[in-house]
Amino acid sequence: MATYLEFIQQNEEQDGVRFSWNVWPSSRLEATRMVVPLACLLTPLKERPDLPPVQYEPVLCSRPTCKAILNPLCQVDYRAKLWACNFCFQRNQFPPAYTGISEVNQPAELMPQFSTIEYVIQRGAQSPLIFLYVVDTCLEEDDLQALKESLQMSLSLLPPDALVGLITFGRMVQVHELSCEGISKSYVFRGTKDLTAKQIQDMLGLTKPAMPMQQARPGPPQEHPFVSSRFLQPVHKIDMNLTDLLGELQRDPWPVTQGKRPLRSTGVALSIAVGLLEGTFPNTGARIMLFTGGPPTQGPGMVVGDELKVPIRSWHDIEKDNARFMKKATKHYEMLANRTATNGHCIDIYACALDQTGLLEMKCCANLTGGHMVMGDSFNTSLFKQTFQRIFSKDFNGDFRMAFGATLEVKTSRELKVAGAIGPCVSLNVKGPCVSENELGVGGTNQWKICGLDPTSTLGIYFEVVNQHNAPVPQGGRGAIQFVTQYQHSSTQRRIRVTTIARNWADAQSQLRHIEAAFDQEAAAVLMARLGVFRAESEEGPDVLRWLDRQLIRLCQKFGQYNKEDPTSFRLSDSFSLYPQFMFHLRRSPFLQVFNNSPDESSYYRHHFARQDLTQSLIMIQPILYSYSFHGPPEPVLLDSSSILADRILLMDTFFQIVIYLGELKGHERLDPVVAVKWKGWVAPWDSHPLGVFSYLTIAQWRKAGYQDMPEYENFKHLLQAPLDDAQEILQARFPMPRYINTEHGGSQARFLLSKVNPSQTHNNLYAWGQETGAPILTDDVSLQVFMDHLKKLAVSSAC
Amino acid sequence: MNVNQSAPPVPPFGQPQPVYQGYHQSSYGGQPGSTAPTTSYGAYNGPVPGYQQTSPPGVSRAPPSSEAPPASTAQAPCGQAAYGQFGQGDVQNGPSSTVQMQRFPGSQPFGSVPLTPVVSQPTVLQPYGPPPTSAQVTAQLAGMQISGAVAPALPPVGLGYGSPASLASASGSFPNPGLYGSYPQGQAPPLSQAQGHLGAQPPQRSAPPQASTFTSPASGGPRMPSMTGPFLPGQGFGGPSLSQPNHVSSPPPQALPPGTQMTGPPGPPPPMHSSQQPGYQLQQNGSFGPARGPQPNYGSPYPGAPTFGSQPGPPQPLPPKRLDPDAIPSPQLNELPPQQKTRHRIDPDAIPSPIQVIEDDRNNRGSEPFVTGVRGQVPPLVTTNFLVKDQGNASPRYIRCTSYNIPCTSDMAKQAQVPLAAVIKPLARLPPEEVSPYVVDHGESGPLRCNRCKAYMCPFMQFIEGGRRFQCCFCSCINDVPPQYFQHLDHTGKRVDAYDRPELSLGSYEFLATVDYCKNNKFPSPPAFIFMIDVSYNAIRSGLVRLLCEELKSLLDFLPREGGTEESAIRVGFVTYNKVLHFYNVKSSLAQPQMMVVSDVADMFVPLLDGFLVNVSESRAVITSLLDQIPEMFADTRETETVFAPVIQAGMEALKAAECAGKLFLFHTSLPIAEAPGKLKNRDDRKLINTDKEKTLFQPQTGAYQTLAKECVAQGCCVDLFLFPNQYVDVATLSVVPQLTGGSVYKYACFQVENDQERFLSDLRRDVQKVVGFDAVMRVRTSTGIRAVDFFGAFYMSNTTDVELAGLDGDKTVTVEFKHDDRLNEESGALLQCALLYTSCAGQRRLRIHNLALNCCTQLADLYRNCETDTLINYMAKFAYRGVLNSPVKTVRDTLITQCAQILACYRKNCASPSSAGQLILPECMKLLPVYLNCVLKSDVLQPGAEVTTDDRAYVRQLVTSMDVAETNVFFYPRLLPLTKSPIESATEPPAVRASEERLSNGDIYLLENGLNLFLWVGASVQQGVVQSLFNVSSFSQITSGLSILPVLDNPLSKKVRGLIDSLRAQRSRYMKLIVVKQEDKLEMLFKHFLVEDKSLSGGASYVDFLCHMHKEIRQLLS
């Protein structure tokens, strides 16, 4: 199995692909019996420092319905200068430029190590990146100040020739004209009125030929002059202007009376932003970055009225069908998102407020366009500031980690069809021959548009085996899949990345072991989770859980080893062993459970779940828990209440939160100073404590008492510092930056930890388990143990 | 009085008679003298067929001429004399005298009268066919004599004042005319007049003294205006009676003949105005002839005669013709003295002259303050400079009435057809010598009001029960006096503190309003001015925007302020626009202004709150920067389309958002054709003129503007519109909002900076600086019996009683019409109280109260004796101008004529002594009614000339709607001032001459102004020295026609003329652009349009013709 693990790992590193099954059942019937669909997680732009792009264009299969790209799996006749398409078996002539090829002189795309290759397209206009800031001005003064500073800072991070625009909104929406000197101009729109793109363009004066204000733009070549607009100007030109403009931004001046929310026209602002770009720069890479500090309260897309006494909708309201504005608002934002996607732009949402901001309604804007969604408490937090900064981070090449306007096309060999995709994409509705009639996720097409993506954006792509049972694939046959991603690189180049992979077919009846062994349970868990979350968007929560349960049971029935009706005999092979546990945590995750989460939070979590790569997704499903103690080096521990021990410092990473938890020294037992001494010769603090011997103290109390600052307690200092350092490491790397929680036993924030761990000890069974083993969790949720017991029982039962 | 009035069996005059029997009789006699009209009538109709025919033949002329001379001589003296003193008076025998009597509490001025007449005569004579004068004179001789009588009468009145002296002066004055070598003719008449007068005077004198004696008892006090009024008529009559009879008889025959001829053979005469024109001209020619004819006679004695000498020939023929016709029909031929028979046509000098009336009033009443203590006093004319002392009634500067004596019953009122109306100018500016109304602060409790009718405390409230209660003078309700207001009464029942409290002793005063009088029960915030500037291509190209921005920079320092405050409380805001609107944030904390563009014109809103309306001094730097940049920003604009309604909407919304009232200054150039609410299309169609659809030209294209205006009014948003059109902009529609919000419209067609800069800037400065009341509501309360039923002016009414004015400045006037709803009581009279609730420039909420008490009469004669023609014309013009919105213009004109005829016929029937139907008898107070009415009828709105655009008509129409009496007076009857006749050294304004081409001498220079236009007419044979010193060119031909600025030259003439122009401009609320017109130049057509006594190119009748026509109408009514 190690080989498979390595294979899987290698595949992921080279191609950014993880399949649920790495050996494919060869018939439709068998495939459906595998329970977990044949699917993969694809990271289209996985960072490949070792993969320099080639500076020419790919060679396409000449069959119009195929147009697959020449790849290492193709049969090549060097003599005849022919190659056979491995998808449609069309024989193709090499283009004239390839006349020199031979076995020893192969173009890169024929070399096996270039199963993933990137081409740079030279033709076509290169348009600069566009960043359109859409800024809420209904913020508290310090929030606004922080946001202004962040925005000003961001100007220095943008590529100098990038175009930048600014829209501010509150009660009104202002589109700022950036090119003018002297008087700063802005176009103002009423926040309550939805306008069509045409109207917006008319009102902004974009329908007429551009004014002669736009002179030569130094950056891009002059032969590609394109319609510019007064509202989007190169950063390097209006850097100072915009900085001043941002500096002069004031809070929305309209009075907000007691008991009211400020009137915030987010819906119209977005609509205008979309319309502006639609009219001026369709199909070029552009980011609309929405910064909002509260829910939209007026106009189209309003989420809640301005009366403070009416709270914003909760899950409870939604279930009761009590959310007045939700449907309409959702429709508005969906319409916007679709338009944006059509134009190849993406929308980021940065929502910082203590209350909900309407992410539930607005989520599609980010989801469908591949934009970011960031949720924080305030713009004046490092969470926002650093997350925002990270958007403009650069890769090893010094390029921005962002790409635009991508289309992903999936080609399959004829035994397979594409059933759908789940991720930050929209369907392009291209009905090719390899499109399945059964949809999983966004289906009915083999091409999707991903308007904004970064090196970690990951899609789940689902396939269907269509080979009939009675027409077996010949022994040794391989199925092939080609992923073609065309996108605009942050350097404004158009590029095409092609990944072609192949897997063996296996007859499920005779070679089930092979198939089983090639199961990637991590990928499978994530892919199933995506399906579940996808369903949860449209279905009732319990139905989804039931569906997940049934899938799990069926999987166990299929691949478990057991005697009928004997739960104790149930065993799973190594390649499946973790899967039930993932499912257990998935059931408890905020992606499927809305209890304790606001609708906004659920949307936020789901958004990220649907686009992160496998590792991060797994962390989301099953957070990681590290334990720090005097007893030894930090170690990962079970995500279980039993891991919460008195003398430990715990570090939990749930992707969204980093929790550092200082354990409690349980009080009933008087700690023996000897024990303390045993701790690496470290002197127990209580010896020198002014109050004398303490019956119980917590790590937190030690910390509070300042022991870590005393030279003799350096160890303690290190202990305290270790999780912080580790946390910092995670914080550095992650996008969006997680919420950093430093808490202690009994602290209010400890709930983040307690809600995640497996409640192996609860107030119900606490005393049965003894006292020394961990912290009881006050919950009625079942523990993993109970879950597994049930699973076994059901799996072996013949009733199902 | 009352008793007497009721007693007299005699018609209307009976009333006065009881009091002054002797006079009355005489007065009756005098009235008949109005025969002149008949002749005029004949002339009017005559022009058409018969008359023309007759006129051409020289033969016919010859004989008459021979005859004529004697007649003319005889008459001329009379006529002239009459003229000199009371040319008009002649026509209106009795009444005229009354008017004069009334007016001249101080008879002193009278002495001057003769002088003025002299002047006027010459002018009249020259241009206008002396012939007609002669003819008319004869006809009017009666009148003349009467007037003559009157004139003497005046002196008598003045006896106390030394009337004799005045007489002497009068006679002495005649010689003066002689001084004017250029006007020999004029001189001639004076002499004759003098003579005539002399003859007449004796009797008059005797009368006057009596009158004076009467007066004194009647009024009991030094101020005897009312008394003088009554007896004056008597005097007038007394004089006239003698002379008139003769004249009377003579004129009618003359008049009749033409009429009969005309009517008989042609038939069409009466109706055919246009058709008459040709004929009419002929007549004129003829008339000239005759005029000259008579002159020769005079000429001999006077040096001036020679000039006319050449003309004498022709004139003679005409007169005979007329005489004949006249003589034939008139039944009273026999009565006519032979001499009179010989008189031919109506003498323009003999018909009532506005100039004369104005001069007389000026002389009679200009010197003494007008004290308002007495009920029902007729104030001096608007053209007279006088001071007002408020002693319980509102100054005539605030309120003028058509009549100061109201018929007691509606039947009487209906019979008389005299509209009862008041022209109210609540915030009128006062001359510096007069005190503006005192502000009364009653603290928390607010002004004291009647519980039932809510009338405000005023001097007419009756305190009873020792001062514990008061009885409302309007509704008779008895109210308790609140304890804090209690005061004891003196033995006359007057409160002891009456003279300490303005509201108990004055006609006009202000109350400080309490919060109850404020919108939303909140004290208002200071108002705001928003400047909204069109920056489309046209505006930029014409240089308007640059000019305006430059001007605003300094102008903003002169926003209206109140009292002694250092800084104006008014905040300002700026908007520019073309197809979209640009708002500017000029907050003081900004380094640079910020522009906010709103392109959603379909659904206008205000994009910013903070920083839009700012205090000028705080934000000066930013504002200056903005005004510097606006012209630059749009310098290369290509946008030609504009919006309009959204601009107003935006301003209104801005004020709404700021929760204040205010004013928008819109500077607009073109028809708003951009896609937006209130979009207009070019619908100008001259073919509609004179059709039933003509009214659509005055109606707004769309109802959107009315709706908008309504919203504006609700917000207290007044809109001032400055238009700079190059072509049709549909003023009728664009002016709807300014009109309904109490704003003003200024129009500068084909604006060019070089030519129109001064005019525009001057208007702008005045408009911005003038004191305005905002968010005002005006209510006119009346005592029981009458009721305000109709309102005219620039305002909006959401119900039938409250006049809502988003803004009201000192130039805006509201005309209110009253109707009876019950019987009035002579004893108690009728009371008006006009209450205006408004927000001052400083944001203070106030109530301005004007009270006016009027007399009531049971005799129609009293009504006619206390009328004010100027006010009447103001009302009638407004009534007519509103009428064109709904009825065909022809209907409106006919209505006016009919009403006028009815008024005069009623007088004739009820107040004048029985006399020949051929006589035209005009009430003294209304003797100018025909001429003024004719001017109204000929105005561009009611009878457009070919060169008058639809926009011009709409513009004028809405202008007139809020004009006050003085403005309408000069607007309809322009002032024509000869510049070179009086010695350069004289500091006073030269006396005006009648607005007729015949009064122009080609050796002179004239100024003509009507409140909107200012012309400098240069005669072709003006002395070279004059040309040099005025225009700095050597000859007439080198004068640039159309010149608008006179060179600044250091010589007395230039200084004087320029000074005069400046002073004229200062008198008017709008800057009048000067146009230099050369005689015989093509521009002269434009100029001639304003010579309103002449026949106009567009078919307007000449004064004489119209008078004839009017006479015919009257006669029809009487028969």
Side-chain angles (χ1 to χ4, degrees), chain A residues 207-224:
Chain A
T207 38
K208 279 173 297 180
M211 302 184 93
M213 302 170 120
Q214 180 75 14
Q215 290 103 4
R217 192 178 311 101
Q222 288 301 306
E223 63 266 28
H224 304 305

Side-chain angles (χ1 to χ4, degrees), chain A residues 514-531:
Chain A
H514 287 289
I515 297 174
E516 199 181 318
F519 182 64
D520 182 345
Q521 55 183 341
E522 292 177 338
V526 174
L527 285 162
M528 286 305 281
R530 284 206 177 188
L531 275 179

Side-chain angles (χ1 to χ4, degrees), chain A residues 125-299:
Chain A
Q126 293 188 338
S127 47
L129 301 186
I130 299 167
F131 296 87
L132 180 54
Y133 296 150
V134 182
V135 182
D136 180 5
T137 53
C138 299
L139 301 175
E140 293 303 317
E141 197 54 64
D142 46 352
D143 252 23
L144 182 61
Q145 192 53 39
L147 176 57
K148 276 153 66 173
E149 283 163 12
S150 289
L151 293 177
Q152 285 168 331
M153 175 275 301
S154 73
L155 295 181
S156 62
L157 300 177
L158 293 175
D161 59 342
L163 302 184
V164 63
L166 175 65
I167 295 177
T168 56
F169 67 94
R171 178 188 284 232
M172 311 279 174
V173 181
Q174 276 178 267
V175 184
H176 296 266
E177 194 175 311
L178 301 175
S179 57
C180 45
E181 281 139 25
I183 289 186
S184 68
K185 291 187 198 170
S186 60
Y187 282 65
V188 188
F189 295 81
R190 172 171 257 177
T192 51
K193 189 174 167 191
D194 199 11
L195 300 163
T196 65
K198 171 92 171 46
Q199 283 173 311
I200 290 169
Q201 287 154 22
D202 280 349
M203 290 179 184
L204 290 177
L206 299 178
T207 38
K208 279 173 297 180
M211 302 184 93
M213 302 170 120
Q214 180 75 14
Q215 290 103 4
R217 192 178 311 101
Q222 288 301 306
E223 63 266 28
H224 304 305
F226 51 89
V227 182
S228 175
S229 103
R230 289 158 285 156
F231 307 103
L232 297 166
Q233 292 286 314
V235 178
H236 64 89
K237 267 182 72 182
I238 46 92
D239 197 357
M240 299 302 293
N241 260 345
L242 188 54
T243 306
D244 293 347
L245 186 58
L246 286 169
E248 281 194 348
L249 270 193
Q250 293 164 347
R251 292 181 62 196
D252 196 51
W254 300 87
V256 179
T257 47
Q258 192 86 35
K260 299 265 192 181
R261 296 187 175 89
L263 288 175
R264 190 181 269 115
S265 331
T266 322
V268 172
L270 261 189
S271 171
I272 289 169
V274 171
L276 170 62
L277 289 180
E278 196 170 50
T280 47
F281 294 95
N283 295 315
T284 57
R287 288 201 103 84
I288 295 170
M289 307 173 101
L290 170 68
F291 303 86
T292 180
T297 45
Q298 70 167 2

Side-chain angles (χ1 to χ4, degrees), chain A residues 27-88:
Chain A
S27 78
R28 171 186 220 125
L29 190 64
E30 288 303 326
T32 51
R33 284 184 184 158
M34 297 293 150
V35 183
V36 173
L38 171 55
C40 71
L41 285 169
L42 171 70
T43 309
L45 298 188
K46 186 170 178 62
E47 260 180 22
R48 289 285 306 279
D50 55 333
L51 181 75
V54 296
Q55 303 289 329
Y56 53 85
E57 295 190 13
V59 177
L60 303 186
C61 169
S62 59
R63 188 187 294 264
T65 54
C66 175
K67 294 203 166 174
I69 291 170
L70 179 64
N71 62 71
L73 301 177
C74 293
Q75 299 261 338
V76 178
D77 183 341
Y78 289 105
R79 223 158 283 153
K81 310 286 186 230
L82 291 174
W83 61 279
C85 171
N86 58 335
F87 294 95
C88 68

Side-chain angles (χ1 to χ4, degrees), chain B residues 343-545:
Chain B
R343 297 163 190 162
H344 329 299
R345 287 194 54 186
I346 297 174
D347 175 2
D349 280 347
I351 55 181
S353 155
I355 304 302
Q356 190 60 49
V357 172
I358 289 170
E359 285 296 322
D360 290 349
D361 192 73
R362 222 172 248 172
N363 295 333
N364 290 336
R365 309 196 60 178
S367 55
E368 284 246 323
F370 178 71
V371 182
T372 69
V374 179
R375 189 173 85 182
Q377 276 185 114
V378 181
L381 293 182
V382 284
T383 43
T384 301
N385 270 330
F386 60 100
L387 278 186
V388 180
K389 283 197 180 147
D390 187 345
Q391 292 202 349
N393 282 301
S395 155
R397 301 190 204 286
Y398 295 123
I399 307 183
R400 275 185 180 267
C401 293
T402 52
S403 170
Y404 289 81
N405 205 329
I406 300 180
C408 277
T409 65
S410 61
D411 286 347
M412 275 175 73
K414 270 184 204 141
Q415 205 183 350
Q417 286 285 329
V418 177
L420 302 176
V423 179
I424 306 176
K425 199 175 181 186
L427 296 182
R429 273 192 301 259
L430 302 179
E433 304 84 23
E434 292 179 23
V435 195
S436 54
Y438 293 100
V439 180
V440 181
D441 186 0
H442 279 180
E444 296 269 313
S445 57
L448 188 53
R449 308 175 65 172
C450 166
N451 286 333
R452 191 202 288 163
C453 70
K454 302 292 175 197
Y456 295 84
M457 178 52 66
C458 71
F460 308 126
M461 296 286 187
Q462 202 67 47
F463 285 86
I464 54 175
E465 293 182 27
R468 282 193 301 277
R469 298 186 166 190
F470 70 91
Q471 181 169 28
C472 174
C473 50
F474 295 94
C475 69
S476 307
C477 173
I478 296 193
N479 299 277
D480 288 334
V481 173
Q484 71 274 13
Y485 199 73
F486 175 80
Q487 184 59 266
H488 293 288
L489 307 184
D490 65 11
H491 63 284
T492 60
K494 236 178 171 180
R495 276 173 63 118
V496 175
D497 63 350
Y499 288 103
D500 300 333
R501 292 184 175 271
E503 76 270 23
L504 296 181
S505 55
L506 295 179
S508 303
Y509 43 88
E510 291 197 326
F511 287 118
L512 225 47
T514 61
V515 80
D516 298 335
Y517 292 85
C518 302
K519 205 180 270 178
N520 304 328
N521 276 345
K522 258 167 52 187
F523 278 115
S525 14
F529 281 180
I530 303 179
F531 297 91
M532 315 186 90
I533 307 164
D534 182 350
V535 289
S536 65
Y537 178 69
N538 283 335
I540 297 291
R541 196 196 47 182
S542 67
L544 165 67
V545 174

Side-chain angles (χ1 to χ4, degrees), chain B residues 585-609:
Chain B
N585 184 348
V586 283
K587 200 172 172 180
S588 55
S589 58
L590 293 175
Q592 278 283 334
Q594 292 175 349
M595 176 206 256
M596 306 176 104
V597 185
V598 173
S599 4
D600 189 1
V601 288
D603 192 5
M604 193 36 70
F605 61 97
V606 186
L608 77 170
L609 186 61

Side-chain angles (χ1 to χ4, degrees), chain B residues 638-658:
Chain B
R638 292 261 161 272
E639 186 59 70
T640 53
E641 295 188 356
T642 55
V643 295
F644 188 72
V647 184
I648 297 176
Q649 176 95 26
M652 191 259 296
E653 298 282 350
L655 295 179
K656 193 185 274 178

